Amino acid sequence: METRRADSIATQIEEMIFAGGYSDGDRLDEVRLAEQFGVSRTPIREAFQRLSLTGLVELIPRRGTFVRQPGPVELLEMFEVMAELEAACGRFAAVRITDQAIENLRDANAKCQMAVDAGDADGYYNENERFHLIIYKQSGNAFLEQEAQRLHNRLKPFRRQQLRLRGRMSQSMAEHEAIVSALVNGDAETAANTLRGHVAVQGEKFQNLMAALRNAAE
Amino acid sequence: METRRADSIATQIEEMIFAGGYSDGDRLDEVRLAEQFGVSRTPIREAFQRLSLTGLVELIPRRGTFVRQPGPVELLEMFEVMAELEAACGRFAAVRITDQAIENLRDANAKCQMAVDAGDADGYYNENERFHLIIYKQSGNAFLEQEAQRLHNRLKPFRRQQLRLRGRMSQSMAEHEAIVSALVNGDAETAANTLRGHVAVQGEKFQNLMAALRNAAE
DNA sequence: AAATCAATTCTTGTATACAAAATGTTTGAC
DNA sequence: GTCAAACATTTTGTATACAAGAATTGATTT
């Protein structure tokens, strides 16, 4: 017997769900997954317990475990909360950020811009993520950072489908610049408000998200 | 065999930890708890998995599960996040709150005041909690409501020790009034800021919290 | 033919068994 | 007396076994 496998299994199942391998309401078959992972049911069930707390999966007693993909309403709610968490990170970061971190933000932004110019969607996506993770950390609040990262991660598959249009990319870049400015100036209120607006799902982004959801539902 | 016991066991262990039955670093003995609950190790271990996600317990592979009571720094971080979540709830509630909910807030406030006058700490505590839960719900965001409730619940045992002094109680009441006013006026910004300040741990509250922590550490 | 009930089959939940790692203890050497 | 190594014990992690609830299928009845 090796070391604890349940945690690694949990993240693997998580990734399978994120990757879109399952739709809402699908039942996760314990024995099938056990065979698939080459283990017994026990570690699979432990993984289910953990997944249930994140809301990714619903545990119905005596019935089984079913994947819970968020619907449009829940998804918008989650984005709303994400916007508020980012705003909070920005508010704290404005008065706590280090000079080094500002440099890192500028670097991420520069690489973002290069990716935009090169039409490199993946590159843009990665540097954009780095930008936001830096701000989480610079909140100087490890608990907030953790919560922000968790929700960010959960929304990842949905955000990915959003930032396709070139127009949004350059607008997003302008917002990044404004955010850095506010942080440099130590203007907590502006940093918070700019970040909130940057992350919020509204207007065009709303339409894209709904369209992506409709496609995923098929 | 009856229905799933793991969930009920998880909450029971959670309550035991909240109640202060364990200190930071204490190991949770699987076999002892199994005997205590009259079940086998399996449901206990499933409960541990769930508790680990809330951060209440740490699962160290091949070593065991240990209770993780937040230290001063983590606790302050959690209160900081709580303040931001409440601010977010207030921001949304300001534009979404129903007339009925405003009535309920005023009712909770009135009963709060009565409890203050009667020196009824428990009564004050309960109505104060109701006041805040109403605002969570009136955010009109079920996901945010859930997150706020979760953190609120986690901080419960620490908040309890805070609001002892009469001075704080009446100041807290004045803040409640200001919050209701902002919500009635639909002033999202004021509602958010007032709630943030109301929940934040600063000045006198900070000293009380530290003192309570020192006492609990003995 | 539709519906209902019973029996069979599946699946979950829990207990037990067993293997490997970690911990504690005894014994031996210096 | 102290340190270290080998052995014993404890404890975790996983597999398997078994019991009870849910689902399904088939037979019987109306």
Side-chain angles (χ1 to χ4, degrees):
Chain A
M1 247 103 287
E2 289 124 75
T3 73
R4 163 175 283 271
R5 272 172 159 170
D7 49 355
S8 119
I9 287 173
T11 53
Q12 283 185 66
I13 295 178
E14 196 173 289
E15 280 164 15
M16 288 166 66
I17 296 175
F18 279 164
Y22 296 94
S23 335
D24 185 67
D26 282 3
R27 178 171 143 275
L28 292 175
D29 191 331
E30 290 181 1
V31 295
R32 210 173 60 77
L33 284 168
E35 289 171 6
Q36 198 167 325
F37 284 100
V39 297
S40 80
R41 281 172 52 217
T42 312
I44 302 289
R45 301 191 93 252
E46 292 200 349
F48 284 175
Q49 294 289 334
R50 303 183 63 170
L51 292 174
S52 76
L53 258 286
T54 73
L56 219 81
V57 131
E58 193 176 4
L59 246 60
I60 303 180
R62 283 280 170 210
R63 298 287 306 275
T65 71
F66 302 84
V67 314
R68 282 261 298 118
Q69 294 285 19
V73 172
E74 194 177 351
L75 207 50
L76 285 173
E77 289 180 348
M78 286 162 72
F79 270 105
E80 242 179 26
V81 174
M82 187 78 246
E84 293 296 330
L85 286 182
E86 297 244 7
C89 288
R91 178 189 312 282
F92 294 130
V95 294
R96 297 175 182 172
I97 194 167
T98 67
D99 290 348
Q100 178 61 60
I102 289 176
E103 272 319 297
N104 294 341
L105 284 178
R106 288 194 167 123
D107 180 62
N109 262 0
K111 287 184 178 142
C112 255
Q113 186 62 55
M114 284 168 57
V116 170
D117 296 339
D120 175 9
D122 277 355
Y124 176 87
Y125 184 84
N126 289 333
E127 289 302 320
N128 179 64
E129 179 170 37
R130 186 161 78 97
F131 181 86
H132 286 276
L133 292 185
I134 291 170
I135 293 176
Y136 301 163
K137 183 170 280 300
Q138 293 302 310
S139 73
N141 182 322
F143 182 73
L144 175 58
E145 180 191 359
Q146 182 188 312
E147 294 291 307
Q149 275 192 29
R150 190 157 79 164
L151 188 52
H152 176 93
N153 198 54
R154 176 128 179 245
L155 290 174
K156 213 174 240 183
F158 302 100
R159 189 174 13 241
R160 193 134 210 169
Q161 302 157 329
Q162 277 185 258
L163 314 157
R164 291 296 171 198
L165 311 162
R166 282 191 68 81
R168 261 234 38 88
M169 275 190 181
S170 57
Q171 190 200 330
S172 187
M173 283 308 304
E175 289 168 1
H176 276 208
E177 300 285 355
I179 290 162
V180 174
S181 289
L183 292 177
V184 169
N185 296 336
D187 184 346
E189 218 51 47
T190 302
N193 290 334
T194 313
L195 265 162
R196 183 183 296 114
H198 177 62
V199 174
V201 174
Q202 48 203 359
E204 180 185 18
K205 277 161 89 176
F206 178 81
Q207 307 299 335
N208 292 340
L209 185 60
M210 287 302 112
L213 271 180
R214 268 194 298 278
N215 294 341
E218 293 170 359
Chain B
M1 248 97 287
E2 292 122 76
T3 74
R4 164 177 281 273
R5 273 169 158 170
D7 49 355
S8 118
I9 288 172
T11 53
Q12 282 185 66
I13 295 178
E14 196 173 288
E15 281 164 16
M16 287 165 67
I17 296 175
F18 279 163
Y22 295 95
S23 333
D24 185 68
D26 281 3
R27 178 172 143 275
L28 293 175
D29 191 330
E30 290 182 4
V31 295
R32 210 173 61 78
L33 284 169
E35 287 172 8
Q36 197 167 326
F37 284 100
V39 297
S40 81
R41 280 172 52 218
T42 313
I44 302 288
R45 300 190 94 251
E46 292 200 349
F48 284 176
Q49 293 288 334
R50 302 183 64 171
L51 292 174
S52 77
L53 258 285
T54 73
L56 219 82
V57 130
E58 193 176 4
L59 244 60
I60 302 179
R62 284 279 170 209
R63 298 288 304 274
T65 72
F66 302 84
V67 315
R68 283 260 297 117
Q69 295 283 20
V73 173
E74 193 177 353
L75 207 51
L76 285 173
E77 290 180 347
M78 287 162 71
F79 270 106
E80 242 179 25
V81 174
M82 187 78 246
E84 293 295 330
L85 286 181
E86 298 244 5
C89 288
R91 178 188 311 281
F92 294 130
V95 293
R96 297 175 182 172
I97 194 167
T98 67
D99 290 348
Q100 178 61 59
I102 290 175
E103 273 319 298
N104 294 342
L105 284 177
R106 288 194 167 125
D107 179 63
N109 261 1
K111 287 182 177 143
C112 255
Q113 187 60 58
M114 284 168 58
V116 170
D117 295 339
D120 175 8
D122 278 354
Y124 177 86
Y125 185 85
N126 290 332
E127 290 302 319
N128 178 64
E129 179 169 37
R130 186 160 78 94
F131 180 87
H132 285 276
L133 292 185
I134 291 171
I135 293 176
Y136 302 163
K137 182 171 280 300
Q138 292 302 310
S139 73
N141 183 322
F143 182 73
L144 176 57
E145 181 192 357
Q146 182 188 313
E147 294 291 308
Q149 275 192 28
R150 189 157 79 163
L151 188 52
H152 176 93
N153 197 55
R154 176 126 179 246
L155 291 174
K156 212 174 241 182
F158 303 100
R159 189 173 12 239
R160 193 134 210 167
Q161 301 158 327
Q162 275 186 258
L163 314 156
R164 291 295 171 199
L165 310 162
R166 283 191 67 80
R168 262 237 33 92
M169 276 191 181
S170 56
Q171 189 201 330
S172 187
M173 283 307 304
E175 289 167 359
H176 275 209
E177 301 285 355
I179 290 162
V180 174
S181 289
L183 293 176
V184 169
N185 295 338
D187 184 346
E189 218 51 47
T190 302
N193 290 333
T194 314
L195 265 162
R196 183 183 295 113
H198 176 62
V199 174
V201 174
Q202 49 201 0
E204 181 184 19
K205 277 161 87 176
F206 177 82
Q207 306 300 336
N208 292 339
L209 186 59
M210 288 303 111
L213 270 180
R214 267 193 298 277
N215 293 341
E218 291 172 0

